[in-house]
Amino acid sequence: MKKPTKRAVCLTIAIAGMIVLFAYEVLGLEGKLLSWLDESSRYLVSMTVTRLIGGAIFLSMVINLGYRVLDPIKKPFWRSVLICLPAFAVAINNFPFSRLISGGAVIDSPAWKIALLAMECLCVAFFEEMAFRGVVLLGLIGRRAKDRLWVFVSVVLSSVIFGLIHLINLYNSDPIAVILQIGYSTLIGAMCSVVLIKTANIWLCVALHGVFNFGGAVVQYCGRGEIWDTFTVILTAIIAVATTVYMIFAFLRADLSVFDGVYGIKAANNDKEIDSREGYAL
C-alpha cells in the first residue's frame, strides 16, 4: 500500500473509531443497547466494545508510523515464545489455582460469561499494548534506539505512565487497591516492554497481558471467594523475583539491532543504496 493511501486508511479508521466511541459513551448508546444485561455483564460488554475500538485506533497509528511489530509469526517465532516463558509464568500464576483447589474460591458462572470475560481481557490488553508499547514506548525510543540507557529510560517512562493512568480508577475503587494496581501495572508494563524489545512482536505482549488480566479477574466476575492464601503469596513472590532478574538480564543482553527492523532502518538504507546506484539518491 502506498504511503498516502495508507495514511488515508489509518486516518479514516481513527476518525471512525472516535465517532463510534463518542456515540456509544457520550450520547448514551451504551445504556440503551445493554440495558437488558446484569451490571457485571454490561460492564464486560462495554469494556470489550470500547477497548476493541480504542485498540483499532492505536493499531492504525502503529501502522501509520511504520513500526514493524505486527507480524504475529515473525521468525524465529518459537524462539520468541521461549524468551517469553518466564513472563507467561507470571501471567499464569495470577490465576488463583490454589484457592480454587482448596475450595476457598469457586467459578460458578455460565460458560458464556467466562468467554465474555476472556474476550474483555483480550480487548483491554489489545488496547493497552497498542497504546503504551506500540505507540508510547516505540515513540519514546525513536531515533535513539542504539542508546541502551535511553531505551531503559523509555521503558521506565512508558511503564510509569501506564501505571499512573490507572489513577482514573480512584473514582470507584478503594485507594489502597488503586495504589497496588498502579504498582503491578507499572511492573507488567516493564515486563511487556522487555518482551517487545526482545521479540519485536507486539502480539506476544497482548497475549501475555490478556492472560494476566483474565487470571486476576475470573473469580471477581465469574465466581466468588478469596484469591490469596499463604501458598499463593509465597509462590507469587518467588516467581516475581525470578522473573525480574531474568528480565533485567534479558534487557542487558538484548540485541538493539532489532530496532533496525522495527523502524525499517535497513529497508530505508537499502532503498537509498539502490537509488544511489541509479543516480538519484534520496
Side-chain angles (χ1 to χ4, degrees):
M1 187 182 295
K2 294 182 179 179
K3 284 186 177 181
T5 303
K6 181 176 74 173
R7 288 174 181 170
V9 170
C10 292
L11 182 61
T12 300
I13 292 172
I15 293 174
M18 286 186 283
I19 291 173
V20 171
L21 284 177
F22 179 81
Y24 186 77
E25 292 196 323
V26 179
L27 298 183
L29 288 184
E30 174 188 356
K32 296 176 182 178
L33 294 174
L34 305 177
S35 58
W36 55 280
L37 290 171
D38 64 86
E39 184 178 356
S40 66
S41 297
R42 186 164 58 247
Y43 171 80
L44 292 176
V45 171
S46 181
M47 287 288 286
T48 299
V49 172
T50 55
R51 271 43 181 186
L52 182 61
I53 295 171
I57 292 172
F58 281 102
L59 172 61
S60 70
M61 293 176 64
V62 172
I63 294 172
N64 186 52
L65 290 166
Y67 299 154
R68 302 180 181 186
V69 292
L70 299 174
D71 184 353
I73 53 174
K74 181 179 294 183
K75 295 181 180 180
F77 176 74
W78 292 113
R79 181 171 176 272
S80 296
V81 172
L82 286 173
I83 289 170
C84 297
L85 284 182
F88 275 102
V90 171
I92 293 170
N93 180 67
N94 206 37
F95 195 88
F97 292 107
S98 177
R99 294 296 288 174
L100 290 170
I101 293 171
S102 68
V106 295
I107 298 173
D108 54 7
S109 291
W112 68 264
K113 189 166 185 180
I114 297 172
L116 175 59
L117 174 64
M119 180 62 69
E120 186 266 350
C121 290
L122 189 61
C123 288
V124 169
F126 170 58
F127 165 67
E128 293 182 347
E129 290 308 310
M130 288 298 164
F132 291 97
R133 258 58 70 187
V135 174
V136 177
L137 174 64
L138 294 180
L140 283 170
I141 292 173
R143 294 180 180 275
R144 298 177 64 178
K146 296 300 176 67
D147 183 342
R148 193 175 299 272
L149 177 59
W150 176 248
V151 174
F152 173 77
V153 170
S154 298
V155 168
V156 173
L157 284 175
S158 62
S159 301
V160 169
I161 292 169
F162 173 56
L164 291 177
I165 284 293
H166 292 83
L167 280 170
I168 195 172
N169 293 328
L170 280 172
Y171 81 96
N172 66 350
S173 299
D174 176 66
I176 300 300
V178 173
I179 291 172
L180 290 173
Q181 187 180 32
I182 290 171
Y184 72 69
S185 295
T186 300
L187 294 174
I188 290 296
M191 185 169 68
C192 288
S193 297
V194 175
V195 167
L196 183 61
I197 291 168
K198 289 288 291 184
T199 68
N201 188 334
I202 200 168
W203 301 111
L204 289 172
C205 300
V206 173
L208 170 65
H209 196 149
V211 170
F212 182 87
N213 284 0
F214 181 78
V218 67
V219 170
Q220 178 183 355
Y221 290 99
C222 299
R224 62 185 186 278
E226 296 294 328
I227 62 173
W228 293 100
D229 57 18
T230 302
F231 175 78
T232 301
V233 171
I234 293 173
L235 182 61
T236 299
I238 292 171
I239 292 176
V241 171
T243 303
T244 299
V245 172
Y246 171 82
M247 285 295 165
I248 292 172
F249 181 76
F251 175 79
L252 294 175
R253 291 290 302 275
D255 181 2
L256 298 186
S257 65
V258 68
F259 289 119
D260 289 347
V262 169
Y263 294 111
I265 295 172
K266 286 183 177 180
N269 288 340
N270 289 339
D271 289 343
K272 289 181 180 181
E273 289 175 7
I274 292 170
D275 293 341
S276 178
R277 289 197 297 269
E278 292 178 356
Y280 51 94
L282 299 178

